[in-house]
Amino acid sequence: MKTLILSIGAGNRDDLEKSLFAPVLKSIGDGGFERVILVPSQTTLDRAVTIRDRVPGLHVDIVPLPKEEMENDADACFGHFDGVFLDLLTEGVPAREITVDFTRGTKAMSVAIAMAAVGRGVNILRYIEGERDNHGSVIPGTEVIRNVNPELARTRRDLDVSLRLLNHFQFQAVETMFRVEDPKWLDVLYPRGLQPEVLWIHWLARFWGAWDRFDYAAAVRILETQPPEPLPVAFRQFLPGPDRGAFLRRMAKPLPGAPGDRAAPARDLAADVLRNARRRYIAGAYEDAFVRAYRVLEMYGQIRLFTRGLDSENLDASAIQGWIDEELKAGRPVPVRRRRAQLPRGRVIGLLNYLKVDVHPLVAKRKSPLAAGLEARNDSLLIHGYAAQTARRDARDLGKILTQLERVFVQEDAGNQSRLELASFPFPSV
């Protein structure tokens, strides 16, 4: 139902017809409205009744401000108008079918109804202007109706919200807020002055979102297709910069075939998984952070094996036969299929100790403070089995585990501190 809402003020008491009734009736008659809602103050309720009586063929409701003097309190007016819009939306009237005329009413009423309308997604704001007489009233016959699309304010609000969401790593949410895939929709949906910001915030969400889900190839493609519009100042802090771009391209490359060449790329990935775990922790996704923490613990052992030219996922049994024999004697047989072995984290640490490859003490000890909380997943795809691991610990404990992992990782190789810095997203919340 196409609906018009009008605030009703006092008008000029010496000439209510010219100052109030004529412009209001003109607005009611312009737009093909099926329903009209008049919102007077307690002192102008009689004027609203008169207006309703003069349009007998139209559905007109009167929803007055509930208290006297309320028309001079913008906050109180806002609450009332917001309730009127909420009732309409609850009834099923789409916001796009609502027009608000704020010409009449006190300044507080006009400000409040405009703010409430923008907040509820109302399609059109309207006011009436024209030539005025000596009393400041619009001269009948000169009225001009001006319709204002509040999309500019709404898009600005959405951009501000999306910037906060981006800063809290809600990349998918930001990406779905804006429709920019088809250029023809830009002019339809967004004011031209804000289109560069819309394009850039959408690009940033796509880029960081792809990186955040470890889709490095997609992130590189997005990085190379930046919007042609100038970068808005507010978004500069979110750009990756050339060093992070180079780090991303490095991770997007296929893993080298020779195990001895895999240590450096694996360190890049471990740094990225660590920083991803930290983002999950900051966002409160503790179980996801826990899974990633365990993966880094696994990768630590894999990296140390790579430095010896060995791959824990595809080991030549003949190259480690001595250790396999020792494990068998100790009652810990190593599964070997077609002379190839795949080792879980615990067995990797044992093999490293046998090979006398340096391993950080916190990782080498299976029951160390670092490893104890992560050990439950040693041979499982699920971190928690049937109960979330993080539900049984304080979130601060998980933060300590991540901090310990970062320290261990930094000590594993001289370049790992730089890797962690490059894997960090340049967001203020971090």
Side-chain angles (χ1 to χ4, degrees):
M1 182 177 287
K2 198 171 183 182
T3 302
L4 174 66
I5 302 177
L6 304 98
S7 54
I8 303 299
N12 185 340
R13 295 178 181 178
D14 296 330
D15 195 347
L16 288 177
E17 183 62 33
K18 292 181 179 180
S19 64
L20 179 65
F21 296 141
V24 168
L25 292 172
K26 181 178 180 64
S27 184
I28 291 174
D30 187 297
F33 299 105
E34 303 166 80
R35 181 180 183 181
V36 173
I37 298 177
L38 306 176
V39 187
S41 65
Q42 287 292 317
T43 58
T44 61
L45 181 57
D46 59 331
R47 291 157 174 75
V49 172
T50 299
I51 293 169
R52 181 185 62 187
D53 292 343
R54 292 181 63 170
V55 284
L58 193 60
H59 181 169
V60 179
D61 295 317
I62 299 176
V63 188
L65 298 175
K67 297 179 181 180
E68 293 185 1
E69 302 297 328
M70 192 172 170
E71 63 270 22
N72 297 315
D73 185 337
D75 289 335
C77 287
F78 177 89
H80 180 73
F81 287 125
D82 189 60
V84 173
F85 293 128
L86 179 59
D87 288 343
L88 280 174
L89 296 173
T90 303
E91 291 174 17
V93 179
R96 64 178 179 275
E97 295 295 325
I98 301 174
T99 297
V100 169
D101 188 328
F102 60 91
T103 306
R104 294 298 172 261
T106 62
K107 289 181 173 62
M109 291 173 71
S110 297
V111 168
I113 197 170
M115 289 195 304
V118 171
R120 290 293 181 179
V122 168
N123 192 43
I124 295 175
L125 297 177
R126 166 180 288 192
Y127 65 95
I128 298 176
E129 63 171 1
E131 298 179 20
R132 299 183 180 275
D133 58 23
N134 294 333
H135 299 287
S137 299
V138 175
I139 300 173
T142 69
E143 302 98 335
V144 177
I145 295 175
R146 301 292 188 187
N147 288 331
V148 179
N149 187 343
E151 194 58 43
L152 184 66
R154 274 199 294 272
T155 302
R156 167 55 60 209
R157 178 196 60 191
D158 289 347
L159 284 166
D160 290 343
V161 169
S162 67
L163 207 58
R164 291 197 294 272
L165 288 172
L166 187 73
N167 196 40
H168 288 83
F169 319 126
Q170 302 300 314
F171 306 115
Q172 186 66 26
V174 175
E175 185 175 343
T176 56
M177 284 180 68
F178 302 101
R179 184 176 180 180
V180 302
E181 291 80 5
D182 190 339
K184 71 181 181 182
W185 282 102
L186 277 176
D187 290 330
V188 174
L189 296 176
Y190 308 111
R192 185 170 294 275
L194 294 181
Q195 286 177 14
E197 292 186 48
V198 169
L199 289 169
W200 271 102
I201 196 72
H202 187 265
W203 181 89
L204 288 167
R206 289 177 59 234
F207 171 74
W208 291 114
W211 186 333
D212 193 55
R213 60 179 179 267
F214 307 111
D215 191 349
Y216 304 126
V220 168
R221 289 195 299 271
I222 296 168
L223 181 62
E224 294 172 350
T225 56
Q226 296 183 9
E229 287 76 6
L231 175 69
V233 175
F235 298 156
R236 289 177 183 173
Q237 60 188 333
F238 295 105
L239 283 180
D243 291 341
R244 280 193 180 86
F247 179 71
L248 172 66
R249 290 185 176 90
R250 212 162 69 201
M251 291 192 295
K253 294 179 180 179
L255 203 63
D261 297 331
R262 292 184 174 184
R267 288 181 179 117
D268 289 344
L269 179 59
D272 195 51
V273 174
L274 258 176
R275 283 299 183 238
N276 195 293
R278 181 65 71 176
R279 290 195 295 276
R280 299 285 81 71
Y281 174 72
I282 293 172
Y286 299 133
E287 201 69 6
D288 289 345
F290 207 60
V291 172
R292 286 156 173 76
Y294 186 85
R295 177 60 184 135
V296 173
L297 201 61
E298 287 180 323
M299 293 183 71
Y300 181 95
Q302 293 173 321
I303 290 168
R304 301 311 294 152
L305 277 181
F306 284 147
T307 63
R308 294 295 296 266
L310 300 173
D311 183 354
S312 64
E313 294 183 348
N314 187 24
L315 283 165
D316 181 356
S318 62
I320 57 171
Q321 192 61 50
W323 176 71
I324 292 176
D325 293 341
E326 286 190 8
E327 290 291 286
L328 183 60
K329 290 178 183 179
R332 298 187 296 268
V334 178
V336 176
R337 185 179 181 184
R338 295 179 181 176
R339 302 202 56 77
R340 313 303 293 184
Q342 287 186 326
L343 302 183
R345 193 201 74 83
R347 309 303 293 272
V348 167
I349 300 301
L351 176 58
L352 288 169
N353 289 332
Y354 171 80
L355 296 173
K356 294 182 171 50
V357 177
D358 290 338
V359 179
H360 194 283
L362 284 175
V363 179
K365 297 177 182 179
R366 289 174 61 85
K367 299 303 180 184
S368 69
L370 176 63
L374 302 171
E375 199 64 34
R377 186 182 176 264
N378 192 37
D379 294 306
S380 172
L381 292 176
L382 293 175
I383 183 66
H384 48 65
Y386 298 103
Q389 289 287 313
T390 53
R392 297 195 294 270
R393 67 180 68 248
D394 192 295
R396 288 173 295 183
D397 292 340
L398 177 58
K400 292 176 183 177
I401 288 175
L402 292 175
T403 299
Q404 285 180 315
L405 271 175
E406 289 162 358
R407 290 172 180 168
V408 169
F409 179 69
V410 167
Q411 295 176 39
E412 191 276 328
D413 183 80
N416 284 348
Q417 180 62 53
S418 175
R419 289 184 171 96
L420 282 176
E421 293 170 0
L422 292 171
S424 300
F425 287 8
F427 296 174
S429 65
V430 180

